[in-house]
Amino acid sequence: MNRNFIFFFLSIFFLLDTYSQESIEKPITFDTEHHRLNFEVDIGVPHIVGFGFEFFLTKIKPKYSLYYSKGGKKIFDEPFKQIAKNYDFFDFSVNKIEYGLNIYFNKNIYVSIGNYEIDLNLEYDNQDNIRLMSDIRNSSPVLKVGFKYEKKFYLKTELGYNFNFPENIFGSGRVSDIDVITTINSNKIPLVDNNGFFLASVKIGYGFL
């Protein structure tokens, strides 16, 4: 089994066990600060744009919620088409899926523990018969801190870190009908540091139930 999934589910088990013990020791208070089901759209890096859902497991405090989000060119294609009109020698696609657990310390501040899967493809093709392609698929744990403002219609900001990214990115292509292989050190890419990378997003959401 993938070690990232093991990490994810063990984290949830530990947190829910801690929650159960605290619920027994402390009086139960009902939550009127969040809707049970929430739909969100977001912009951020590295996925550009996306959408997702958040579901609160219970309406008692402390509050835990499950979240799922998806984004990238394969979801919202039109902005990338407009960019490609000016750069016909360059194309790329990015797609990400993220899921995990949110832990709310109060109605505004929360921490997210989850798993982040990203698929990134770069392609360079110009009139001088030079064509290079690189494809990156990565799955790793992620930790984020977030702030939520308001309840029904709400705004979220999140900042986090992905703890695993390939040290080298390999690409293949052709230069004047000759097959070539390229290697890029990932630490030279903006926002990538020590084989991990930073995440940031702004979300607008609507609460149901």
Side-chain angles (χ1 to χ4, degrees), residues 18 31-32 41 47-48 80 104 112 116 118 152 154 162 170-171 193 198 201 203:
T18 302
D31 175 27
T32 58
V41 294
H47 64 282
I48 313 298
F80 298 93
Y104 282 80
S112 300
Y116 193 98
I118 186 170
K152 187 75 172 179
Y154 60 86
N162 186 305
F170 297 95
D193 178 60
F198 291 94
S201 63
K203 301 181 178 182

Side-chain angles (χ1 to χ4, degrees), residues 123-209:
E123 181 176 342
Y124 179 93
D125 190 1
N126 69 9
Q127 297 178 352
D128 297 324
N129 198 28
I130 299 175
R131 185 182 183 91
L132 295 172
M133 299 179 63
S134 295
D135 186 63
I136 306 167
R137 291 182 174 88
N138 188 61
S139 177
S140 57
V142 63
L143 178 65
K144 301 185 297 182
V145 176
F147 181 87
K148 180 178 180 181
Y149 179 72
E150 292 296 344
K151 176 183 175 182
K152 187 75 172 179
F153 289 98
Y154 60 86
L155 178 70
K156 280 183 176 180
T157 57
E158 295 181 344
L159 181 63
Y161 190 76
N162 186 305
F163 288 91
N164 184 28
F165 196 75
E167 182 176 355
N168 294 307
I169 300 172
F170 297 95
S172 62
R174 296 183 65 83
V175 178
S176 300
D177 295 327
I178 300 175
D179 293 330
V180 296
I181 296 177
T182 61
T183 303
I184 301 174
N185 189 323
S186 62
N187 287 328
K188 295 182 179 181
I189 301 176
L191 300 179
V192 177
D193 178 60
N194 295 325
N195 298 328
F197 60 90
F198 291 94
L199 310 168
S201 63
V202 176
K203 301 181 178 182
I204 298 175
Y206 179 77
F208 301 87
L209 305 182

Side-chain angles (χ1 to χ4, degrees), residues 14 32-33 35 43 53 61 63 65 71 74 76 102 107 115 131-132 155 162 164 178:
F14 172 77
T32 58
E33 299 166 351
H35 286 275
I43 59 173
F53 298 91
K61 299 180 181 180
K63 297 174 288 295
S65 67
K74 296 178 182 179
F76 297 95
N102 290 329
K107 67 178 182 179
N115 193 67
R131 185 182 183 91
L132 295 172
L155 178 70
N162 186 305
N164 184 28
I178 300 175

Side-chain angles (χ1 to χ4, degrees), residues 15-38:
L15 292 168
L16 292 180
D17 181 66
T18 302
Y19 162 75
S20 299
Q21 294 179 10
E22 292 181 351
S23 298
I24 296 175
E25 298 172 357
K26 298 178 181 180
I28 294 177
T29 56
F30 286 90
D31 175 27
T32 58
E33 299 166 351
H34 304 278
H35 286 275
R36 179 64 64 89
L37 178 63
N38 302 271

Side-chain angles (χ1 to χ4, degrees), residues 80-92 123-128 130-131:
F80 298 93
K81 288 182 179 179
Q82 298 300 320
I83 295 173
K85 289 181 180 179
N86 298 322
Y87 300 94
D88 56 358
F89 59 88
F90 177 78
D91 190 22
F92 79 100
E123 181 176 342
Y124 179 93
D125 190 1
N126 69 9
Q127 297 178 352
D128 297 324
I130 299 175
R131 185 182 183 91

